[in-house]
Amino acid sequence: MSRSKTNKSNGPSNIAPNGAGRSKLELERRGVPASPGIVIGTAFVRDADRISIPRTLIDPSRAEDEIGSLKRALDSTSNDLRALKHDIAARMGDDHARIFDAHMMILSDITLVDDTSALIRGERLSAAAAFDRVMNRFIESIGSIADEYLKERTIDLQDVKKRVLRSLVGATTRVQRPDEPSIIVAHDLSPSDTAQLDRSLVVAYATDLGGRTSHTAIIARSQGIPAVLGLENLVERVETGDTLIVDGNAGVVIINPTAGTLEQYRLEMQRLHELEEQLLLLTAYPAQTLDGRQFTLCANLDAAHEVQSVIDHGGQGVGLFRTEYFFISQDYLPGEEEQFKVYRQVVEAMAGKPVVIRTLDIGGDKIASYLNRVPELNPFMGWRGIRFCLTRKDIFKTQLRAIYRASAFGNVKIMFPMISQFEEIVRTKEICAEVRDELTRDRYKFSPAVELGIMVETPSAVAMADQFAREVDFFSIGTNDLIQYTMAVDRGNSKIAHLYQHLHPSIVRLLRLTAAAARRHRIHLSVCGEMAGDLLAVPILVGLGIDEFSVSPNVIPEVKRVIRSVTFDECRALVRRVSNLRTTAEIEAEIETFMKAHTPVSAASGGTRS
């Protein structure tokens, strides 16, 4: 079942077909429908890894100047790496810092300078072009060797090459930005990339990589704008200024559409807009089943300015405020006062409704450049979430101080990510007590009733749910990572997206275990992962007795529609039936039969499928 909603910001509507009058054939590409809606707009192609290298021949008299530029670039890169190594050694120890030894050894290789200088003098190449050719030779020669260890060193060579070339050509590592409403076309977008974009100018995303639960997909749904990901080689086929249609319902991108195609999609957009208006009428009604069981519908946010959308869509609170996006949108570490103002803004806007603020979930694919993190072979299982915070207690306590101070202005709860060990909960609660004592001494006001909860997003957290529930006030199930870790599937990899399954039997069983532990210890249980917005999964979550759904703001009316169409007893019976099934296909078929009987689905709604 696929959701079909049009986006209210549909981008330019007066675009001539075939890209500003150029004669180009219409081309359709299919990918992963990551965020629903249809947009017609202008492409802005972003390729962060592409470094423009001058290929024109230089005058022979400039050879020594180019060689001088090469040596300065090598020295500058060495100094940068040395400073980075020193910082990492101070914070994490020499073992972690040694990763940069290979990089600096490459830069100090005299043959690198000699071979590049020979090309500059002999073939009149620029320093950048000559260095690029020499490094490519090294990389190719090592790549052909059978020794696996040596082959892996090509990663070091590639990194060094990019660093030096950026220095030589003055390339920036910051994301390129459009200056008018545009469809962002990219090979991939990291969280820091999207955080640096002016979201008022982004009307859709279309990327070569990514799946339904990748960062870009989550951000797009949070913003309520269409996205199609996993398009493989779209960047090679699109130029900035091309006219595109992004159909996030069907997972289709049309490049340079004909006049007939444009008209067809404009009519569809109008129809979907009318259906969306009908769904918004539900905002005044409670999220209550036909037999009277009530649920709380909250929203996931990653920026303070999105809080108005929560109110507009009838949200009963903020179930997940992802604070890391505030950090990675900066090129410096935000201080206590700056953070406090952001948290207070959200808390006051919600006017007493609960606001669950998740502490910094940095790591994985969410990296802040100023933290100078060591590259990790497997970052999603590395130094991230609470592991980072407990290591960088200075950053952690600053954020906790800001959150506690914001609690004086409303109903604040604090949630900790990536909990996998009992000791992490104990240590985190000790630090919270330290912060409360410090704020009392400093005479800051804060609420003494701030609840503390954890994300249940690792299999170990599910296994320890009975013990963890004794220590915290609430659980929030982060299904995105829970599914990734349980199924051993990289959720950003489009090639194995079919293996990332919300309704796999193992996931249903883990949810049942978590829900049972929460009931036994009488703590509040929410689901804040993307599964909560999957309409096919809603009856299962209802039947499990989940207290709260936290979803993208624009999904709230659709989830409410499903809840108001079923009974709690029917959903519990459904859970019992699917718990005995062995495959995802069997579970989905059982739920679809249930949905057809209880919730006739209009063209404006449906489930967000994997």
Side-chain angles (χ1 to χ4, degrees):
M1 301 167 66
S2 60
R3 282 194 296 135
S4 300
K5 288 178 62 181
T6 185
N7 180 267
K8 292 182 180 179
S9 175
N10 291 315
S13 60
N14 59 346
I15 300 175
N18 298 329
R22 286 173 293 164
S23 178
K24 289 190 175 183
L25 294 177
E26 176 179 293
L27 178 63
E28 178 180 300
R29 303 291 296 172
R30 290 191 171 270
V32 177
S35 181
I38 299 173
V39 158
I40 300 171
T42 303
F44 180 87
V45 180
R46 180 207 173 256
D47 188 352
D49 289 330
R50 186 180 297 166
I51 302 173
S52 180
I53 300 173
R55 301 294 180 182
T56 55
L57 298 181
I58 64 169
D59 188 280
S61 64
R62 285 195 45 81
E64 297 310 312
D65 291 337
E66 290 292 309
I67 293 171
S69 296
L70 169 68
K71 292 178 178 178
R72 286 191 295 273
L74 293 172
D75 289 341
S76 175
T77 304
S78 292
N79 290 335
D80 289 345
L81 289 173
R82 197 171 292 111
L84 184 56
K85 179 183 177 182
H86 178 76
D87 178 68
I88 296 300
R91 291 193 289 106
M92 298 183 62
D94 292 336
D95 287 344
H96 286 88
R98 288 194 185 100
I99 191 172
F100 297 107
D101 288 343
H103 294 65
M104 289 187 286
M105 188 179 299
I106 294 167
L107 289 168
S108 64
D109 189 342
I110 190 63
T111 61
L112 189 63
V113 176
D114 290 345
D115 290 357
T116 305
S117 299
L119 285 176
I120 293 172
R121 294 189 181 104
E123 299 192 25
R124 297 170 53 195
L125 298 181
S126 68
F131 182 79
D132 183 50
R133 185 186 294 184
V134 169
M135 288 299 291
N136 287 340
R137 286 177 185 167
F138 285 171
I139 292 167
E140 289 172 9
S141 63
I142 291 180
S144 64
I145 297 173
D147 187 285
E148 288 300 319
Y149 175 80
L150 289 177
K151 279 187 176 181
E152 290 175 2
R153 300 285 63 79
T154 61
I155 299 172
D156 299 324
L157 287 166
Q158 291 280 12
D159 186 61
V160 168
K161 185 180 83 167
K162 287 181 180 178
R163 288 176 181 272
V164 175
L165 286 175
R166 288 189 185 281
S167 178
L168 281 169
V169 304
T172 177
T173 58
R174 294 183 64 81
V175 65
Q176 302 132 298
R177 301 180 179 89
D179 54 13
E180 62 181 3
S182 302
I183 295 169
I184 303 301
V185 177
H187 182 62
D188 193 17
L189 289 169
S190 70
S192 59
D193 291 337
T194 54
Q196 293 176 39
L197 289 167
D198 181 347
R199 295 184 183 180
S200 67
L201 298 180
V202 179
V203 299
Y205 294 103
T207 65
D208 291 343
L209 302 182
R212 274 211 39 80
T213 55
S214 63
H215 159 78
T216 304
I218 292 171
I219 289 297
R221 286 194 293 273
S222 176
Q223 295 172 346
I225 66 172
V228 180
L229 312 182
L231 290 156
E232 296 188 351
N233 60 353
L234 184 72
V235 168
E236 299 173 8
R237 299 171 180 271
V238 178
E239 298 176 11
T240 294
D242 280 349
T243 299
L244 299 184
I245 297 173
V246 175
D247 183 347
N249 301 322
V252 170
V253 172
I254 299 175
I255 308 165
N256 298 307
T258 63
T261 301
L262 285 169
E263 180 60 21
Q264 174 187 342
Y265 269 93
R266 286 183 178 128
L267 289 173
E268 178 67 2
M269 289 162 65
Q270 178 60 34
R271 184 183 72 85
L272 295 176
H273 178 68
E274 292 170 359
L275 291 170
E276 182 181 2
E277 292 297 314
Q278 294 175 18
L279 274 175
L280 287 174
L281 296 176
L282 289 174
T283 56
Y285 296 90
Q288 179 177 296
T289 60
L290 294 173
D291 53 354
R293 178 77 173 223
Q294 288 209 6
F295 295 84
T296 302
L297 293 187
C298 294
N300 299 334
L301 297 184
D302 54 74
H305 69 266
E306 295 172 0
V307 71
Q308 186 59 46
S309 183
V310 182
I311 298 168
D312 292 344
H313 289 88
Q316 296 170 270
V318 174
L320 170 62
F321 184 12
R322 305 181 183 103
T323 59
E324 57 272 10
Y325 293 108
F326 175 61
F327 280 74
I328 63 180
S329 66
Q330 317 289 338
D331 54 9
Y332 60 90
L333 183 64
E336 180 180 328
E337 286 301 319
E338 190 173 0
Q339 291 185 58
F340 163 67
K341 290 177 182 177
V342 172
Y343 306 148
R344 177 178 174 177
Q345 178 184 343
V346 174
V347 171
E348 288 187 322
M350 292 311 298
K353 294 177 181 178
V355 176
V356 178
I357 301 177
R358 183 174 70 185
T359 56
L360 189 59
D361 190 16
I362 211 78
D365 60 349
K366 293 171 286 192
I367 305 297
S369 59
Y370 52 80
L371 293 177
N372 291 333
R373 293 173 55 91
V374 175
E376 297 178 272
L377 291 178
N378 195 344
F380 282 98
M381 293 187 179
W383 192 42
R384 60 169 297 199
I386 200 65
R387 301 167 180 178
F388 172 87
C389 290
L390 292 178
T391 304
R392 291 300 305 269
K393 188 177 172 182
D394 54 332
I395 296 175
F396 192 30
K397 290 185 71 172
T398 297
Q399 182 177 35
L400 288 172
R401 284 176 61 92
I403 296 173
Y404 270 109
R405 287 175 57 192
S407 73
F409 299 89
N411 183 359
V412 171
K413 303 180 182 184
I414 304 176
M415 182 162 65
F416 306 105
M418 195 61 181
I419 297 291
S420 60
Q421 299 187 62
F422 186 84
E423 294 88 342
E424 292 168 339
I425 298 177
V426 173
R427 183 63 187 128
T428 296
K429 290 174 68 177
E430 290 173 348
I431 294 173
C432 286
E434 291 175 18
V435 168
R436 291 193 296 269
D437 289 343
E438 291 173 5
L439 290 173
T440 300
R441 288 196 302 271
D442 295 340
R443 298 186 177 181
Y444 282 112
K445 293 181 179 179
F446 63 92
S447 170
V450 174
E451 294 185 356
L452 303 180
I454 65 168
M455 295 278 288
V456 177
E457 53 188 339
T458 65
S460 65
V462 176
M464 291 290 291
D466 263 318
Q467 298 301 320
F468 288 0
R470 301 173 191 271
E471 297 293 323
V472 297
D473 300 303
F474 65 93
F475 283 165
S476 187
I477 304 175
T479 54
N480 301 349
D481 274 336
L482 182 60
I483 297 167
Q484 174 174 243
Y485 294 138
T486 302
M487 302 300 297
V489 174
D490 177 359
R491 58 190 174 96
N493 188 336
S494 59
K495 294 186 182 300
I496 54 174
H498 63 287
L499 298 176
Y500 184 94
Q501 299 166 352
H502 289 161
L503 293 167
H504 189 275
S506 64
I507 303 304
V508 174
R509 293 186 182 198
L510 292 179
L511 294 176
R512 288 190 72 180
L513 290 171
T514 306
R519 279 195 303 273
R520 276 193 294 273
H521 297 279
R522 298 180 181 179
I523 66 171
H524 188 79
L525 177 63
S526 72
V527 175
C528 64
E530 294 302 302
M531 185 177 183
D534 182 339
L535 302 193
L536 203 59
V538 169
I540 297 297
L541 299 179
V542 168
L544 288 170
I546 303 297
D547 300 304
E548 175 185 313
F549 294 71
S550 191
V551 298
S552 300
N554 59 304
V555 179
I556 290 174
E558 298 181 87
V559 173
K560 185 181 293 185
R561 180 185 61 81
V562 175
I563 291 174
R564 291 177 58 83
S565 302
V566 300
T567 71
F568 180 53
D569 285 342
E570 290 169 339
C571 291
R572 284 197 297 180
L574 175 65
V575 170
R576 287 194 293 271
R577 291 198 300 274
V578 303
S579 295
N580 294 319
L581 301 178
R582 296 177 295 180
T583 69
T584 304
E586 290 175 327
I587 291 176
E588 289 182 346
E590 185 70 28
I591 300 173
E592 285 172 353
T593 299
F594 176 88
M595 293 282 277
K596 287 176 182 177
H598 295 84
T599 59
V601 179
S602 72
S605 60
T608 57
R609 303 304 310 128
S610 301

